[in-house]
Amino acid sequence: MLKPALLIIAGRIAGFVAAFVTPLILVRLFDLETFGTYKQWFLLYITLLTITQIGMSESLLFFLPRADSDAGRYVMNSVLFLTGVGAAAAAVLVLNAPAIARWMNNPALEPLIPLLGWYLLLMQGSIGLETVMTARSAYRSAAIAYAATDMIRALFLIVPVMIAPSLRSLLYGAVAFAALRFAFGNGFRPDARCFAKQLTYALPFALAVVASIAQENLHQYAVSGLFDAATFAVYSVGCLQIPLVDLVATTVCNVMMVGMTTAIHDGRESEVIKLWHDAVRKLALVFFPLTGLLLLGARDLIVMLFTDSYTASVPIFMIGIVAVLFAAVPMDGLLRVYARTNVLLGINLVRLAMIALLIHWAMQSFGLAGAMLVTVAALALGKAIGLAAAATRWRVGIGRLLPWRALSLIAAVSLAAAVPALAVGYGLQAPPFIRLLMVGTVYGAAYVAAALGVGLLLPHERAALSRTMGRLQFMLPVRYQHKIS
C-alpha cells in the first residue's frame, strides 16, 4: 500500500501547493467583505458538490476493482448520472438565488449564484476522473491528473483577478476551468444492469454523505447566518483546512479501500485487519506530529498567511487542529468496503444531532470558538461509534481494533519533539515566517531523530526515506553533497 499511496501523494503535492497559495493571494487582493463572499460562494459549492454526487463517484472504488468487462459501463453510468444531477442542482440554485442570499445574510451573493450553478454542473460531470484511475490501479495517471488539475485551476482563478481585480473575474475563471475539465470525454457506454447495482450501493451512502456534509458545515452556516460577512471571514479563516491532511488521508484511504476490496474478492479477508492497522499507523506517523507542529505555530501561521487582520481566528484554528488527530482513523473508508453505509448514515446523523442541539449553547458560552468546539467533539463521538461497529464486524476486542502500541509510541515521540521546538519558539523574537521556519525545522528534526531512534519506522519505510533523501541530495551543490556523505 505504501508505494501507490506515495506516488499519488507526490502528484497531489504539486496541486496542493497551487491550491493552498490561491486564497493567500486573494486575501491580499480583497477586503474582508469581498473575501467573506468568496468563502461563502465556495462553501456553497463544496457542500452541494458533495451532496449531489449521491455516492456515484465513490461507488466506483467499490465496483471497479471487482469489475472486468463491465468497468467502462460503471464509469459511464456515473458520468451521465452526475451530469444530470449537476444540471438539476444548478437550476435549483438559480431559481432560489434571492432566498439563498438572504439565508447567507449577504445580498452580494445573489448575482453570483448563476456562476455557481455553471461551476457545479461542469465540475460534477468530471468529478470521477481521478477516482477511476485510482480504482483501476492506474496510480501514476491519477498522480499526474491530480497535479495538473489543481495547478491549472489555480491559474484560472488567480490570473483573471490580476487582470481585472474583482470577485466576478475570479468566478468567470473558475467556470472556464470547469468547462475545460468537463471537455475530457470517454468512449464508454452506459448499462442499466450495472446502474441498478450502483444505485443499490450508492443511495444509502448518499444519505450518509448528506448527513456528513450537514454536520461538517453546520457550524459555518450558523455563523454565516448570525453574523455579517466580515465576521464570517474571520471564522472561515479559523476553519482553515490544511490541504496536506486531505491529500494524505484521502489517498491512503482510497488505496486502502482498493486493497481491502481486492483481498475480500480474492477470499483473503484475514488480510483486511492487517491493511487497516497499516493504514492507521501510516496516517498517525504523519498526523500526530503535524498536529503538534500546527498547535505550536498556530498564531504565526495565521498571521503569515492572512495578515494581522485575522488574529481573532487563531483560537478557532487551534481547536480545529485537534480534528487532524482523528484523520488517522479512516472509518468512512472501512465501512464503505463492507457496504455498511447504513452505519455510516447513523454515525453522521448522531453527529448532526449533537451539533444542532449544542451549537447555540456553545457559541453563547465560548463565542465563535464554541461552534468549532462542538463540531470537533461530534467528530470524536462519530469515530468512537465507527470503531465499535468495526469491532462487532470483526469480532475482536478493543486490543486488536487499533495498533495501540504503535499509536502510543508515535504520540510519545510527537510530544517529546515539541519540547525543544517550544523552547526555540518561546525565546525567538522574529517575523512569523522565520519563527515558523525555525520551530518547524527543530520540531521536524527532533521527531525524525526520535522516530528512528526508537525504531518507529519499519525497514521498508526506512529504505523509502533513505531513497527520498538520496534524491534530495542531488538537488544540493556538490560541496554540500560531500559534507552529507
Side-chain angles (χ1 to χ4, degrees), residues 164-289:
S166 72
L167 181 55
R168 188 174 288 272
S169 297
L170 180 145
L171 301 184
Y172 280 131
V175 173
F177 161 77
L180 179 66
R181 180 179 166 97
F182 185 79
F184 288 95
N186 57 71
F188 301 126
R189 63 188 181 89
D191 183 272
R193 177 180 57 84
C194 295
F195 185 63
K197 293 181 181 178
Q198 286 176 277
L199 278 182
T200 301
Y201 174 90
L203 286 178
F205 177 64
L207 294 175
V209 168
V210 170
S212 176
I213 291 300
Q215 56 85 22
E216 287 176 3
N217 293 315
L218 179 59
H219 61 118
Q220 294 198 59
Y221 284 109
V223 173
S224 176
L226 292 173
F227 300 95
D228 56 26
T231 304
F232 179 75
V234 171
Y235 184 77
S236 66
V237 167
C239 299
L240 173 68
Q241 300 292 311
I242 305 300
L244 181 64
V245 176
D246 178 68
L247 183 154
V248 174
T250 302
T251 302
V252 172
C253 181
N254 287 349
V255 174
M256 178 195 75
M257 287 182 63
V258 173
M260 287 181 172
T261 302
T262 303
I264 294 172
H265 180 64
D266 294 343
R268 297 179 284 109
E269 190 166 356
S270 60
E271 294 185 12
V272 171
I273 295 182
K274 294 180 181 178
L275 286 169
W276 168 250
H277 283 186
D278 190 39
V280 171
R281 193 183 66 83
K282 283 182 170 61
L283 289 172
L285 281 169
V286 176
F287 292 150
F288 281 21

Side-chain angles (χ1 to χ4, degrees), residues 43 52 126 158 194 248 296:
L43 174 63
T52 55
S126 60
I158 294 172
C194 295
V248 174
L296 288 172

